[in-house]
Each structure stands twice: as structure tokens, then as C-alpha cells.
């Protein structure tokens, strides 16, 4: 559809927004004692309360009409059936297939793609049991004690987040480590802790060409070769997860140690693929399959539910309502469960790398706002750090609170109750504000916020949360008419970094560097001076 902002429904939404802005959310609550019932959804395992948004029934009807105008149903069908939705890279985006049951069958361009997906899951299962039962041993014959995931972005954040979230489900005394950065700080520290004879390194890189990951992998290989000489550590201590088998073989990874990925899985959508291997090692394959099953349940919910009952659809449309009609600049993710401490970082990549774009699928520039800044933190920490701005600052933003309602085994139940009380208090205060005769004690209120509550944080419900946000992102991309599955914006920085790396080596910035601005040139000189190369 051309001219989103010219569409009659967009104009109606603009008019409607002006009308809604005259009533505060607190007044909407005062006018409807059943507001929670009217504006919340419940699925087995997951509830979504969106009553604290500036919306009426009419708002939702108009937003559903917007989804219809943008032919969302057709786009969802295209996504799930493997059509070429990633138009710049001419690829489908089939992360939903990663959690399709073995027997469901999914024909893409004449081939059923489910058998290789399930063969990869079986390969993971086999490897997990070899590590757990100690039949897999290091080069000197000792069992593995430490698993180190070497990857960045989508090859890091998913397993990092999920292992932290599901610690109570960990089934093994194995220790897990994540190395993503190239600056050497974390790696240097880790190498002093590791026993090379009992450490296993997973090079997780879809492209097998990400500089940070490969530099770290090469440094580690040299380290372990020195420590385990005369043994060859590669077959017992290195695995790769990649779509580029040839490059992994060139690195020296044994063929049977390469776990497949496919070009149709985006990095930030890849946790349910072999990229989840470290997670499977931590929680066991049965729990990993539970996570897939939770994600699949949410996929089916998204695919089949009518708009009025469709959680990812409503979550996505409320984001559009805030961003495009209420000029929200930021959307904040606030888990009230420290287990979810990496969930905001995970969503930052998922949302901003997907929808942080301004060129439409038809190559024209958008004339409306797209993805807001996404950030977040464990809510209780945020309360004592940056909520001041939320309550009394001047910025426009919206919030997702994420709760886990049941405290398994009721360990430290009163702590859990304090966390839930804090979340509900903050949600209420953001919506209602606080009036005081003293101006500096007044809280503005009227801030839109959602509450997403899992019954209990389990592999299954974490899978649901992951798929919920993936589909939210997709809904928004369809409305904004952008391709959420590429990330061309990050390429230039990688290219530039290579030429600056070379320039840092030299005594002076030479002619090829003449394009550098004076700030870059000046700092290159300072670096050379500080590193004894003046
Ligand atoms: O540069 C960005 C990016 O391509 C992300 O999209 C991706 O998740 C990350 O780098 C890591 O990529 P790879 O798995 O190919 O190493």
C-alpha cells in the first residue's frame, strides 16, 4: 500500500487520537469499572493486560482496520509459508519453522524443510547427552566442565538471556560463559579461570565472518594449542554453529562438529535453532523442546486468532498507536524478575535491528516514525535509578512490565511478593500520576503501560514470550512497510573499522586515511602515542 499517512484509516486514527487525548487514562478507568476485563487477554501460561493504554473500543477497531488496510493477514500467511519476505536478501524468514512439530510438513520451493530442522535437533540431543554422560571428553581424556559460547548479537544474546532466565532448570554442574566483545577484557579474565583440558568452545556465527567472534576464536585456539600440546585440541574442544560450513572447515572445525544453520534464520530470530545449543546443554534437551513448544503455541495463536484475541497483534498495534499518534520516543522493557535481566538487551536487538529503519520495502523513504528507542532493566533496579524521569520528566515513552506470577516452591515468598507489589505500584503510578499541592511532589501520570504476566517462568512460557515479541516486531514492520529481516545499517561500521584498524598500526595517518575527519585523525595519533608508536 502506498502513502500510509494518506490512507483514510490513518486520518481517522489521527482525528481519534486528538479526541482520546482529551481524556486521561485514569478517567477512562473511572468511567468503566470493567476496564481490566475489557482490555486484557489470557492464554494458558500468559496474560496480557493492556488496559492502562489511552484507548477505547473505537481505538482498537480503527487499529484493526489499519492492519486490514496493510493486508496483515496476507503478510502473516507469506511469513509462515516461506515466501520471500526478506526482500533485500531475497530470502524467506522461517524462524517459526524451527519449532514446527516433526510431522507437520512445510513445503518451501518444492522441499519439505522440516526433516533437516529435526535432524539438527537430534544432533543437538545426541551431543547434549554425550557431554552430560561424559562420553565426550577433552583431548587429554578429561570430561568437559566449562562451555564457552563465542558469538555476538543474535549468536550471543538469545542463549545468554535464556540460560540466565532458566537457571532453576539447569540440569548439570557445567559452567557456562559468553564471550562476545573483542576488547580482550572478558576473554583475558576468563582464560585465567579456565582449565584448557576441560573447556569446550562453541563458535556461534551464522556468517562465520564476524570479526569479533573470529578474532576471539583464533586467540583461544592458539591458547589451547599451547596448553594441550602435543594434542590437537580442535576435534574435542571446538564446535561451530553456522550456515557457512566451508568457512568453519577452513578454520579447522571437524565436519561432525559443525551444527547447521540456514540462511533463512535471522540472527536475532535464531534462539530456537542450533544457536540454542549452549542453552540445551544447560537445561537439557527435553526442556529445550519445551521452549520450542511454547514458541510454537504462540506462533499458532498469532496465525489463527482473530484480531480481537491476538496478543502479538494488539501489542504491535499499541506500539504503533504510541509511536505514530502519541509521538512516544522510547519503549521501555521492565522485567520484575532478575532471572529476566538480559531480556531487555535481547529485545533491543530484536526490535531495533529489525525495525530501526527509514527506507520502505519499495525503496522510498518513510514520512512517519518507525521503531522507538527500546531500552530496559530489571524494574526494581530501574526504580532506584531512572524512574525519576518517568514520573516527573518531559519525555514521552511507553512501558512493558514483565512479571512471573507464581514463585515456584515459594522460596523467599515475601521477596517475590515485594517485587510484584512494586511492579503493580509503578504501573498504577505511571498511569494515574499523583496530585500534590506541592508542585515538585506531583507525578505526571498518563503514561501508557502494558503488563505481560507469565503464570510462572518456565522453558514453555519463555518460549511464548520470545515468539510474542518476534510477532509484535513483524506486525509493526508490516504497518511501517519495512523489511524487518535485514540489517544493512551495521555494514558500513564494520568496513570503516577495518581501515581504522590498519591506520592505528601506522606511524602517521597516510594518504589512504586522508578521508578521515580531523577528530578521527587526532585520536589515531593519540592512540599511537599512548601505545608507544609515536
Ligand atoms: O552485524 C550484525 C549482525 O549480523 C547481527 O544481525 C547478528 O546477530 C550478529 O551480527 C552476529 O552475526 P553472525 O552470527 O553472522 O556472527
Amino acid at each position: 500500500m502506498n502513502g500510509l499517512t494518506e490512507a483514510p484509516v490513518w486520518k481517522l486514527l489521527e482525528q481519534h487520537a486528538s479526541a482520546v487525548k482529551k481524556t486521561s487514562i485514569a478517567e477512562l478507568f473511572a468511567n468503566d469499572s470493567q476496564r481490566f476485563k475489557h482490555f486484557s487477554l489470557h492464554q494458558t501460561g500468559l496474560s496480557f493486560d493492556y488496559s492502562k493504554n489511552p484507548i477505547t473500543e473505537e481505538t482498537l477497531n480503527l487499529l484493526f482496520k489499519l492492519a486490514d488496510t496493510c493486508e496483515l493477514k496476507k503478510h502473516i500467511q507469506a511469513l509462515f509459508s516461506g515466501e520471500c519476505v526478506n526482500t533485500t536478501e531475497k530470502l524467506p524468514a522461517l524462524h517459526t519453522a524451527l519449532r514446527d512439530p516433526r510431522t507437520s510438513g512445510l513445503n518451501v520451493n518444492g522441499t519439505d524443510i522440516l526433516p533437516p530442522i529435526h535432524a539438527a535437533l537430534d544432533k543437538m540431543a545426541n551431543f547434549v547427552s554425550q557431554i552430560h554422560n561424559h562420553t565426550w571428553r577433552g583431548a587429554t581424556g578429561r570430561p568437559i566442565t566449562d562451555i564457552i559460547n563465542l558469538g555476538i548479537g543474535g549468536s550471543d544474546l538469545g542463549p545468554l538471556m535464556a540460560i540466565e532466565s532458566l537457571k532453576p532448570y539447569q540440569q548439570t554442574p557445567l559452567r557456562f560463559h559468553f564471550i562476545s566483545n573483542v576488547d580482550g577484557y572478558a576473554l583475558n579474565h576468563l582464560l585465567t579461570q579456565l582449565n584448557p583440558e576441560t573447556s569446550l568452545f562453541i563458535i556461534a556465527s551464522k556468517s562465520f565472518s564476524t570479526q569479533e567472534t573470529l578474532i576471539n576464536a583464533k586467540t583461544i585456539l592458539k591458547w589451547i594449542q599451547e596448553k594441550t600440546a602435543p594434542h590437537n585440541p580442535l576435534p574435542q574442544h571446538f564446535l561451530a554453529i553456522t550456515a557457512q560450513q566451508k568457512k568453519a572447515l577452513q578454520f579447522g572445525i571437524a565436519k561432525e562438529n559443525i551444527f547447521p544453520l540456514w540462511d533463512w534464520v535471522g540472527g536475532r530470530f535464531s534462539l530456537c535453532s542450533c544457536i540454542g545449543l549452549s542453552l540445551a546443554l544447560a537445561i537439557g534437551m527435553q526442556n529445550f523442546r519445551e521452549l520450542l513448544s511454547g514458541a510454537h503455541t504462540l506462533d499458532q495463536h498469532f496465525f489463527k486468532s482473530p484480531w480481537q484475541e491476538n496478543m502479538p497483534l494488539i501489542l504491535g498495534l499499541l506500539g504503533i498507536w504510541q509511536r505514530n499518534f502519541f509521538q512516544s520516543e522510547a519503549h521501555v522493557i521492565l522485567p520484575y524478575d532478575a532471572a529476566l535481566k538480559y531480556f531487555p538487551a535481547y529485545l533491543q536487538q530484536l526490535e531495533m535491528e529489525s525495525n530501526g529503519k527509514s527506507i520502505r520495502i519499495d525503496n522510498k523513504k518513510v514520512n512517519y516514525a518507525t521503531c522507538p528507542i527500546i531500552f530496559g532493566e530489571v524494574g526494581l533496579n530501574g526504580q532506584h535509578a531512572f524512574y525519576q524521569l518517568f514520573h516527573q520528566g518531559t519525555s514521552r515513552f511507553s512501558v512493558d512490565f514483565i512479571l512471573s506470577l507464581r514463585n515456584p516452591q515459594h522460596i523467599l515468598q515475601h521477596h517475590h511478593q515485594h517485587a510484584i507489589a512494586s511492579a503493580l505500584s509503578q504501573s498504577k503510578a505511571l498511569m494515574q500520576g499523583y496530585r500534590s499541592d506541592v508542585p515538585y511532589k506531583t507525578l505526571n501520570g498518563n503514561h501508557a503501560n502494558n503488563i505481560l504476566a507469565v503464570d510462572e517462568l518456565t522453558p514453555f512460557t519463555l518460549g511464548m514470550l520470545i515468539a510474542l515479541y518476534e510477532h509484535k516486531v513483524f506486525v509493526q514492520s508490516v504497518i511501517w512497510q519495512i523489511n524487518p529481516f535485514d540489517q544493512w545499517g551495521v555494514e558500513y561500521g564494520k568496513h570503516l573499522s577495518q581501515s581504522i584498524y590498519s591506520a592505528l598500526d601506522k606511524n602517521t595517518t597516510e594518504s589512504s586515511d586522508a578521508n578521515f575527519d580531523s577528530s578521527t585523525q587526532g585520536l589515531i595519533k593519540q592512540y599511537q602515542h599512548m601505545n608507544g608508536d609515536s
Side-chain angles (χ1 to χ4, degrees), residues 200-500:
L200 184 108
F201 298 91
I202 302 176
I203 308 176
S205 177
K206 179 182 163 185
S207 61
F208 217 86
S209 60
T210 300
Q211 214 189 50
E212 292 85 343
T213 302
L214 292 185
I215 291 171
N216 284 331
K218 281 177 194 157
T219 301
I220 288 166
L221 179 59
K222 194 161 170 278
W223 171 82
I224 199 169
Q225 275 168 338
E226 282 166 14
K227 302 272 181 193
T228 57
H231 300 279
N232 171 13
L234 271 159
Q236 262 86 35
H237 294 270
F238 277 86
L239 308 180
I241 307 162
T242 186
Q244 297 296 329
Q245 202 196 57
K246 255 194 201 154
K247 290 185 183 167
L249 289 170
Q250 274 159 16
F251 185 91
I253 307 292
K255 192 164 180 216
E256 56 280 13
N257 289 359
I258 301 176
F259 288 74
L261 264 186
W262 298 275
D263 55 5
W264 44 257
V265 191
R268 53 195 173 273
F269 297 89
S270 66
L271 177 63
C272 294
S273 72
C274 291
I275 287 291
L277 183 60
S278 51
L279 173 64
L281 282 164
I283 63 175
M285 207 54 202
Q286 203 181 330
N287 281 323
F288 185 74
R289 288 187 195 274
E290 273 291 292
L291 180 127
L292 301 188
S293 167
H296 178 69
T297 300
L298 216 290
D299 293 340
Q300 291 302 302
H301 164 85
F302 179 52
F303 191 76
K304 291 183 181 155
S305 301
W307 289 164
Q308 294 78 354
E309 293 161 26
N310 198 312
M311 289 191 191
L313 172 92
I314 293 177
L315 189 62
L317 290 176
L318 290 173
I320 300 275
W321 182 234
Q322 279 304 307
R323 182 69 175 133
N324 297 110
F325 300 94
F326 282 74
Q327 289 72 45
S328 267
E329 297 140 35
H331 184 68
V332 194
I333 308 294
L334 300 169
Y336 271 73
D337 189 329
L340 288 167
K341 75 173 178 183
Y342 295 121
F343 201 61
Y346 174 76
L347 291 188
Q348 277 170 4
Q349 186 195 13
L350 181 65
E351 298 216 18
M352 293 201 277
E353 204 174 59
S354 299
N355 285 339
K357 291 165 191 166
S358 51
I359 298 297
R360 296 189 324 206
I361 234 150
D362 63 3
N363 269 329
K364 302 214 170 88
K365 202 165 167 64
V366 297
N367 62 346
Y368 41 83
T370 61
C371 189
I373 304 283
I374 307 286
F375 78 102
E377 165 65 283
V378 173
L380 280 153
N381 294 336
Q383 278 178 221
H384 297 275
F386 52 78
Y387 278 35
Q388 166 62 38
L389 177 147
F390 290 174
H391 290 301
Q392 293 189 312
T394 55
S395 295
R396 286 216 66 91
F397 60 90
S398 53
V399 172
D400 288 350
F401 290 94
I402 303 180
L403 316 181
S404 166
L405 294 176
R406 190 183 305 121
N407 180 25
Q409 288 144 31
H410 306 291
I411 299 163
L412 299 177
Q413 182 65 23
H414 67 291
H415 286 251
H416 180 64
Q417 202 161 316
H418 273 295
I420 299 293
S422 297
L424 299 186
S425 311
Q426 292 299 328
S427 167
K428 181 173 166 59
L430 282 176
M431 179 274 286
Q432 205 161 36
Y434 171 70
R435 304 280 157 255
S436 165
D437 294 338
V438 186
Y440 62 77
K441 290 189 177 169
T442 296
L443 309 190
N444 305 327
N446 213 27
H447 294 294
N449 67 87
N450 300 311
I451 298 193
L452 289 155
V454 289
D455 290 351
E456 183 181 327
L457 189 58
T458 63
F460 188 89
T461 56
L462 184 64
M464 290 179 97
L465 275 179
I466 289 165
L468 172 77
Y469 278 98
E470 286 175 351
H471 298 316
K472 169 204 169 176
V473 163
F474 183 68
V475 166
Q476 296 190 335
S477 76
V478 172
I479 306 291
W480 288 324
Q481 300 168 35
I482 52 186
N483 174 5
F485 301 117
D486 63 10
Q487 57 282 324
W488 293 101
V490 301
E491 291 306 318
Y492 179 61
K494 294 181 190 174
H495 165 77
L496 204 52
S497 163
Q498 277 168 9
S499 58
I500 294 186

